[in-house]
Short mmCIF file of all heavy atoms in Angstrom, two decimals:
data_model
loop_
_atom_site.label_atom_id
_atom_site.label_comp_id
_atom_site.label_asym_id
_atom_site.label_seq_id
_atom_site.Cartn_x
_atom_site.Cartn_y
_atom_site.Cartn_z
N THR A 1166 -95.89 -123.43 270.19
CA THR A 1166 -95.61 -122.13 270.79
C THR A 1166 -94.87 -122.32 272.11
O THR A 1166 -94.31 -121.38 272.64
CB THR A 1166 -96.90 -121.34 271.05
OG1 THR A 1166 -97.72 -122.08 271.96
CG2 THR A 1166 -97.66 -121.11 269.76
N LEU A 1167 -94.88 -123.53 272.65
CA LEU A 1167 -94.11 -123.83 273.85
C LEU A 1167 -92.70 -124.24 273.44
O LEU A 1167 -92.45 -124.58 272.29
CB LEU A 1167 -94.77 -124.95 274.64
CG LEU A 1167 -96.19 -124.68 275.14
CD1 LEU A 1167 -96.65 -125.83 276.01
CD2 LEU A 1167 -96.27 -123.39 275.93
N VAL A 1184 -94.86 -138.81 288.07
CA VAL A 1184 -96.20 -138.80 288.68
C VAL A 1184 -96.04 -139.22 290.14
O VAL A 1184 -95.58 -140.31 290.44
CB VAL A 1184 -97.14 -139.77 287.95
CG1 VAL A 1184 -98.51 -139.79 288.64
CG2 VAL A 1184 -97.29 -139.37 286.48
N VAL A 1185 -96.42 -138.33 291.05
CA VAL A 1185 -96.20 -138.60 292.48
C VAL A 1185 -97.22 -139.59 293.01
O VAL A 1185 -96.89 -140.52 293.74
CB VAL A 1185 -96.27 -137.29 293.29
CG1 VAL A 1185 -96.09 -137.56 294.78
CG2 VAL A 1185 -95.21 -136.31 292.81
N GLN A 1190 -111.10 -139.42 293.21
CA GLN A 1190 -112.15 -138.41 293.29
C GLN A 1190 -113.40 -138.93 293.98
O GLN A 1190 -114.29 -138.16 294.31
CB GLN A 1190 -112.52 -137.93 291.89
CG GLN A 1190 -113.29 -138.98 291.07
CD GLN A 1190 -113.51 -138.57 289.64
OE1 GLN A 1190 -112.60 -138.61 288.84
NE2 GLN A 1190 -114.74 -138.19 289.32
N GLU A 1193 -117.58 -137.81 293.46
CA GLU A 1193 -117.78 -136.45 292.97
C GLU A 1193 -117.33 -136.32 291.52
O GLU A 1193 -116.41 -137.02 291.08
CB GLU A 1193 -117.00 -135.48 293.86
CG GLU A 1193 -117.35 -134.01 293.64
CD GLU A 1193 -116.64 -133.13 294.67
OE1 GLU A 1193 -117.10 -133.09 295.83
OE2 GLU A 1193 -115.63 -132.50 294.32
N CYS A 1198 -110.55 -131.52 287.54
CA CYS A 1198 -109.64 -130.81 288.44
C CYS A 1198 -108.60 -131.74 289.05
O CYS A 1198 -107.47 -131.33 289.30
CB CYS A 1198 -110.44 -130.08 289.50
SG CYS A 1198 -111.59 -128.87 288.77
N MET A 1213 -88.45 -129.74 288.32
CA MET A 1213 -87.57 -129.72 289.49
C MET A 1213 -86.51 -130.82 289.39
O MET A 1213 -85.36 -130.62 289.78
CB MET A 1213 -88.41 -129.91 290.75
CG MET A 1213 -89.34 -128.74 291.05
SD MET A 1213 -90.59 -129.11 292.33
CE MET A 1213 -89.53 -129.24 293.77
N GLN A 1221 -76.59 -131.72 290.60
CA GLN A 1221 -75.88 -132.78 291.32
C GLN A 1221 -75.21 -133.79 290.39
O GLN A 1221 -74.63 -134.77 290.87
CB GLN A 1221 -76.85 -133.50 292.26
CG GLN A 1221 -77.43 -132.60 293.33
CD GLN A 1221 -78.14 -133.37 294.43
OE1 GLN A 1221 -78.09 -134.61 294.49
NE2 GLN A 1221 -78.80 -132.66 295.32
N GLU A 1230 -86.65 -139.33 292.07
CA GLU A 1230 -86.87 -140.05 293.32
C GLU A 1230 -86.61 -139.15 294.52
O GLU A 1230 -87.29 -139.24 295.55
CB GLU A 1230 -85.99 -141.30 293.38
CG GLU A 1230 -86.40 -142.37 292.39
CD GLU A 1230 -87.85 -142.79 292.58
OE1 GLU A 1230 -88.25 -143.06 293.73
OE2 GLU A 1230 -88.60 -142.82 291.57
N ARG A 1234 -89.68 -137.27 297.35
CA ARG A 1234 -89.68 -137.42 298.81
C ARG A 1234 -90.28 -136.19 299.49
O ARG A 1234 -90.81 -136.28 300.60
CB ARG A 1234 -88.26 -137.64 299.32
CG ARG A 1234 -87.63 -138.96 298.86
CD ARG A 1234 -86.16 -139.02 299.26
NE ARG A 1234 -85.45 -140.09 298.56
CZ ARG A 1234 -84.13 -140.17 298.45
NH1 ARG A 1234 -83.37 -139.23 299.02
NH2 ARG A 1234 -83.56 -141.16 297.78
N PHE A 1248 -114.62 -123.12 291.54
CA PHE A 1248 -114.43 -122.01 290.60
C PHE A 1248 -114.94 -122.38 289.20
O PHE A 1248 -115.57 -121.57 288.52
CB PHE A 1248 -112.97 -121.61 290.54
CG PHE A 1248 -112.47 -120.81 291.72
CD1 PHE A 1248 -111.11 -120.76 292.01
CD2 PHE A 1248 -113.34 -120.10 292.53
CE1 PHE A 1248 -110.64 -120.02 293.09
CE2 PHE A 1248 -112.88 -119.36 293.61
CZ PHE A 1248 -111.53 -119.32 293.89
N TYR A 1311 -97.53 -118.13 282.83
CA TYR A 1311 -97.07 -119.47 282.48
C TYR A 1311 -97.58 -119.87 281.11
O TYR A 1311 -98.67 -119.48 280.70
CB TYR A 1311 -97.52 -120.49 283.53
CG TYR A 1311 -97.11 -120.12 284.93
CD1 TYR A 1311 -97.98 -120.26 285.99
CD2 TYR A 1311 -95.85 -119.59 285.17
CE1 TYR A 1311 -97.60 -119.91 287.28
CE2 TYR A 1311 -95.47 -119.23 286.46
CZ TYR A 1311 -96.35 -119.39 287.50
OH TYR A 1311 -95.97 -119.02 288.76
N LYS A 1313 -99.06 -122.29 278.33
CA LYS A 1313 -99.88 -123.48 278.11
C LYS A 1313 -100.44 -123.37 276.71
O LYS A 1313 -100.37 -122.31 276.07
CB LYS A 1313 -100.99 -123.57 279.14
CG LYS A 1313 -101.98 -122.43 279.06
CD LYS A 1313 -103.00 -122.51 280.17
CE LYS A 1313 -104.01 -121.38 280.07
NZ LYS A 1313 -103.43 -120.06 279.98
N ARG A 1369 -108.75 -137.15 282.04
CA ARG A 1369 -107.54 -137.86 282.46
C ARG A 1369 -106.34 -137.10 281.89
O ARG A 1369 -106.51 -136.03 281.31
CB ARG A 1369 -107.50 -139.30 281.90
CG ARG A 1369 -108.65 -140.17 282.34
CD ARG A 1369 -109.84 -140.13 281.41
NE ARG A 1369 -109.75 -141.08 280.32
CZ ARG A 1369 -110.58 -141.09 279.27
NH1 ARG A 1369 -111.55 -140.20 279.17
NH2 ARG A 1369 -110.44 -142.00 278.31
N TRP A 1380 -100.53 -144.49 277.55
CA TRP A 1380 -100.97 -144.66 278.93
C TRP A 1380 -101.52 -143.35 279.47
O TRP A 1380 -100.96 -142.29 279.25
CB TRP A 1380 -99.82 -145.10 279.81
CG TRP A 1380 -99.45 -146.55 279.73
CD1 TRP A 1380 -99.78 -147.54 280.60
CD2 TRP A 1380 -98.63 -147.17 278.72
NE1 TRP A 1380 -99.24 -148.75 280.19
CE2 TRP A 1380 -98.53 -148.54 279.04
CE3 TRP A 1380 -97.99 -146.70 277.57
CZ2 TRP A 1380 -97.80 -149.44 278.27
CZ3 TRP A 1380 -97.27 -147.60 276.78
CH2 TRP A 1380 -97.18 -148.95 277.15
N GLY A 1393 -103.86 -147.44 288.85
CA GLY A 1393 -104.35 -146.10 288.54
C GLY A 1393 -104.02 -145.62 287.15
O GLY A 1393 -104.56 -144.59 286.70
N PRO A 1396 -103.51 -148.37 280.20
CA PRO A 1396 -102.95 -148.50 278.85
C PRO A 1396 -104.08 -148.53 277.83
O PRO A 1396 -105.06 -149.27 278.00
CB PRO A 1396 -102.19 -149.84 278.92
CG PRO A 1396 -102.86 -150.62 280.01
CD PRO A 1396 -103.44 -149.64 280.97
N HIS A 1403 -108.45 -140.49 269.28
CA HIS A 1403 -109.27 -139.78 268.31
C HIS A 1403 -110.70 -139.57 268.80
O HIS A 1403 -111.47 -138.84 268.17
CB HIS A 1403 -109.27 -140.55 266.99
CG HIS A 1403 -107.91 -140.78 266.43
ND1 HIS A 1403 -107.08 -139.73 266.03
CD2 HIS A 1403 -107.18 -141.91 266.23
CE1 HIS A 1403 -105.92 -140.22 265.61
NE2 HIS A 1403 -105.96 -141.54 265.72
#
Side-chain angles (χ1 to χ4, degrees):
T1166 61
L1167 300 185
V1184 178
V1185 178
Q1190 71 187 75
E1193 192 174 283
C1198 300
M1213 293 167 69
Q1221 298 192 9
E1230 291 304 311
R1234 294 173 194 162
F1248 284 159
Y1311 306 137
K1313 64 185 181 307
R1369 300 90 87 190
W1380 281 260
H1403 303 297

